[in-house]
Amino acid sequence: MPELPEVEVTRRGLLEPLSGRTICRITWSGHRLRTEIPRQLLAEHIAGQQIRTIDRRAKYLLLRMAGNATLLIHLGMTGKLGVMAEATARHKHDHLVLLLDNGMELRFNDSRRFGAIAVWPAEHALACEREFSGKEGLEPFGDQFTPKNLLRLARNRQVAVKSLLMNARLIAGIGNIYANELLFAARIHPLTPAGRLSARQWQRIIAEARQVLQTAIEAGGSTIADFLGASGHPGYFQLQFKVYGRKGLPCLECGRPLIKTSQAGRATYHCPLCQPTPRP
DNA sequence: CAATATACCTGGATGC
DNA sequence: TGCATCCAGGTATATT
């Protein structure tokens, strides 16, 4: 389940095998993803281009071409990127395959097809970048991720703090797993109305968000997957979650059984003692 | 406008 | 064993 750490681990894993490579041929499965795969734009603006570097914004990977075009990739729920020899057998759900100039292929595999592919032609690079970035929320490691800005975003809002943290238009990269984990780390109940949090509590959320995300990145992301970097070692290792998926198990801090609820249609975990219900 | 519900997908787990 | 049902969650869109 790729959230910010998994996307960042993927970015770092792909940097070495892809930088400087030229894309020789592009093939696709014929299936659409969350959006239609822009075959025409891929053929016109990405095929034949050399990959300069890879950036990340929110949960998106941005493959920057030497000619200034950009290939945007979103992993959705089940998307995986891998680099392997052209001769390696294709897998079911390999939806986009980029043949590189060294005989390797970058393959995008996505069983549920919640992922997305977009192309920014070089001549529209600035406008596309601005429009895209304007729709995405604050980066948790960015200098705009401050108590002041979060107080402003949450002002007069009744929405639960967990929902606000997961709102990609407001805050980038935090999905259901890390929202649960960081709220436990900050000792804040997921249902707390966002507008009621103090600057001090937001400061705590910011600090714990960065800590949890950074730890996950260093652990290699939290999803067990078959992504292999060029080095050949597995890209992901399971993170030891403190609350996510631990319904009924003892809280690692106080021993109380953890509680699972459903909030806005999402599995939500918290400790009844460490994260007390906000008073009405 | 704010908040919630639903659609998009497949595969794995569970129930009968 | 087979078949139905539910659940997982990122994001866009619809509804209340």
Side-chain angles (χ1 to χ4, degrees), chain A residues 112-141:
Chain A
R112 290 177 68 179
R113 291 192 268 135
F114 279 14
I117 303 285
V119 172
W120 299 343
E123 57 266 37
H124 301 131
L126 283 179
C128 288
E129 184 101 33
R130 193 165 17 228
E131 192 199 343
F132 164 74
S133 210
K135 287 192 213 163
E136 300 301 319
L138 301 174
E139 284 290 335
F141 293 108

Side-chain angles (χ1 to χ4, degrees), chain A residues 13-14 16-17 82-84 104 225-237:
Chain A
L14 292 178
E16 166 66 20
V83 179
M84 55 213 80
M104 303 291 278
D226 58 358
F227 166 75
L228 295 178
S231 55
H233 61 73
Y236 298 146
F237 296 96

Side-chain angles (χ1 to χ4, degrees), chain A residues 17 23 26 58 66 77-78 81 92 103 105 108 117 123 130 145 169 196 216 224 229 231 263 265:
Chain A
I23 297 165
I26 301 176
M77 269 297 301
T78 50
L81 287 166
K92 193 179 178 184
E105 286 183 337
F108 178 74
I117 303 285
E123 57 266 37
R130 193 165 17 228
F145 199 56
R169 288 183 162 262
R196 207 191 291 178
I224 294 174
S231 55
Q263 182 199 326

Side-chain angles (χ1 to χ4, degrees), chain A residues 89-114:
Chain A
R90 296 273 177 93
H91 285 91
K92 193 179 178 184
H93 308 305
D94 279 346
H95 292 301
L96 189 70
V97 178
L98 308 186
L99 174 64
L100 308 174
D101 58 0
N102 60 351
M104 303 291 278
E105 286 183 337
L106 172 66
R107 297 182 184 174
F108 178 74
N109 183 286
D110 184 8
S111 61
R112 290 177 68 179
R113 291 192 268 135
F114 279 14

